[in-house]
Amino acid sequence: MCRVVDVRQAVLAKNDALAGALRAELAARGTAVVNLLSSPGSGKTALLEQVLARTSARGVPTAALTADLATENDATRLARSGVPVKQVLTGGLCHLEAAQLRAQLEGWLPAGTRVLYVENVGNLVCPASYDLGETLRITLMAVTEGEDKPLKYPTAFGLAHLVVLTKTDLARAVGFDRAEFAQNVARVNPGVELAETSARTGEGVEALVERVVAVAQGGGVHRPAMAVAGPATGEPAGSPS
């Protein structure tokens, strides 16, 4: 068991070092990376379609990279926004790593890109442990998934700089309890900002874009307690902010 833990820590340490270097390189180029994490079916791609179009409409040079185990369906959808989009097929790997992201950006990321959205592989377990060199980490969850998800996936929610609730137009129909959800998020990530969105109605989308653009312009981000505590808690340190 100790050997397994040691190997995992070594892998994460190597990834964190690469992520730190990539973060510095992209910052020097003026590019902010937004890492989007969620479970499958959260509505992440539908929301990102609108976010891409609205970010670009503000005159902010924008690009997107989307990762899946198979198919290029998401890239096809996101390309409708008119921004440069790249699909990454992970070949069965359940998450992106910093080395993969660096390799995919070489020779592709357009010069002058100010915001790069990275749609991570759809699950709330593996991607949560890997820093990609992001400027802003957003964990998304649909109201249909239940109020207890932050407690079931504490690393995904605990290392988020921003938590976004999706499909809010369905909240009443599924009996979603916003107060309970907020309490559960606060238990794993005290002080993190919560945003509510609906890709169907457009609720909260413009505010989300404003938040991303502010970060891209040098605005501060929340510093999760879990990221500050880091390895001492047995959790990954996450990206610095």
Side-chain angles (χ1 to χ4, degrees):
M1 176 61 75
C2 291
R3 178 59 178 166
V4 173
V5 172
D6 289 344
V7 170
R8 181 175 185 274
Q9 289 179 341
V11 169
L12 290 175
K14 180 179 179 180
N15 180 83
D16 286 348
L18 290 171
L22 181 58
R23 181 180 295 108
E25 292 174 16
L26 290 172
R29 292 175 55 174
T31 302
V33 178
V34 182
N35 185 9
L36 303 169
L37 285 72
S38 79
S39 59
S42 68
K44 179 166 77 264
T45 306
L47 179 62
L48 186 53
E49 284 185 84
Q50 293 196 27
V51 168
L52 289 175
R54 295 192 189 205
T55 306
S56 180
R58 286 170 171 252
V60 179
T62 306
L65 182 147
T66 181
D68 278 304
L69 276 67
T71 82
E72 297 188 358
N73 294 350
D74 287 354
T76 300
R77 290 175 58 184
L78 296 179
R80 295 191 298 224
S81 67
V83 309
V85 175
K86 186 172 187 178
Q87 177 77 56
V88 177
L89 300 180
T90 65
L93 193 63
C94 63
H95 60 275
L96 283 174
E97 297 180 8
Q100 289 175 295
L101 181 59
R102 176 195 288 276
Q104 293 296 331
L105 296 184
E106 290 180 0
W108 170 75
L109 186 65
T113 299
R114 294 299 308 278
V115 179
L116 170 65
Y117 292 93
V118 177
E119 184 180 20
N120 219 314
V121 180
N123 78 81
L124 288 173
V125 182
C126 306
S129 297
Y130 289 84
D131 181 4
L132 298 183
E134 65 261 24
T135 314
L136 180 67
R137 176 181 289 208
I138 301 178
T139 299
L140 304 94
M141 193 201 88
V143 298
T144 52
E145 296 180 66
E147 300 86 351
D148 62 344
K149 285 299 181 291
L151 304 182
K152 289 185 174 182
Y153 302 97
T155 303
F157 287 89
L159 287 175
H161 300 129
L162 173 66
V163 174
V164 174
L165 196 60
T166 64
K167 302 185 181 182
T168 53
D169 53 297
L170 299 176
R172 178 173 295 184
V174 299
F176 185 76
D177 189 328
R178 285 177 166 84
E180 182 180 347
F181 172 71
Q183 290 173 0
N184 290 338
V185 171
R187 288 176 62 181
V188 299
N189 195 345
V192 70
E193 181 182 353
L194 300 179
E196 296 193 4
T197 63
S198 169
R200 177 175 293 177
T201 68
E203 176 195 1
V205 179
E206 194 63 32
L208 177 57
V209 171
E210 289 179 1
R211 185 72 183 91
V212 170
V213 171
V215 170
Q217 293 174 341
V221 298
H222 168 69
R223 188 166 178 80
M226 186 180 290
V228 175
T233 65
E235 299 291 351
S239 56
S241 46

